[in-house]
Amino acid sequence: MKYQNAQSILPEELIRSIQQYIQGDYLYIPIRQEKKRQWGECSGYRRMLQERNAEILQSFCSGISVKELAQHYYLSERSVRRIIHEQRGGRL
């Protein structure tokens, strides 16, 4: 989170109104709900994990064992099983 000086971006009358409630402290102004993004959307990490998980399922379906996948992706066997289950849409 980057702090900005209110005097450089807000109108003077708005600053005076805010000063009635808080002065000299940090104030967090949250993002409007419609502007919020899900975790990993900005960095692309979410997409990368989705691609990795699809690759894990494809590898499993082609005969690679859970143990081998866990070692290859540096995950626990339990995590690999969970990913496979989720990628199949929760069906076994």
Side-chain angles (χ1 to χ4, degrees):
M1 178 175 5
K2 180 179 169 189
Y3 291 100
Q4 305 224 3
N5 187 332
Q7 288 179 321
S8 65
I9 58 174
L10 298 177
E12 185 63 34
E13 57 274 4
L14 180 56
I15 292 173
R16 276 190 244 123
S17 294
I18 294 170
Q19 285 173 330
Q20 293 176 18
Y21 302 96
I22 186 170
Q23 293 185 50
D25 285 323
Y26 293 112
L27 176 65
Y28 173 74
I29 300 174
I31 296 173
R32 291 190 310 214
Q33 195 64 31
E34 65 271 10
K35 295 282 186 177
K36 280 190 175 184
R37 293 185 179 165
Q38 291 187 344
W39 172 87
E41 283 183 334
C42 293
S43 66
Y45 193 65
R46 175 180 285 261
R47 182 179 32 79
M48 191 219 51
L49 287 179
Q50 290 169 338
E51 291 170 2
R52 181 207 64 185
N53 292 350
E55 194 176 288
I56 287 173
L57 177 61
Q58 184 179 18
S59 297
F60 178 76
C61 290
S62 68
I64 298 176
S65 72
V66 169
K67 185 175 184 171
E68 290 173 299
L69 290 168
Q71 290 173 347
H72 178 75
Y73 290 98
Y74 302 99
L75 297 169
S76 68
E77 291 181 31
R78 182 178 182 178
S79 292
V80 171
R81 285 189 194 94
R82 179 186 48 77
I83 290 167
I84 291 167
H85 181 72
E86 289 172 358
Q87 288 292 303
R88 287 181 166 175
R91 63 184 192 284
L92 296 175

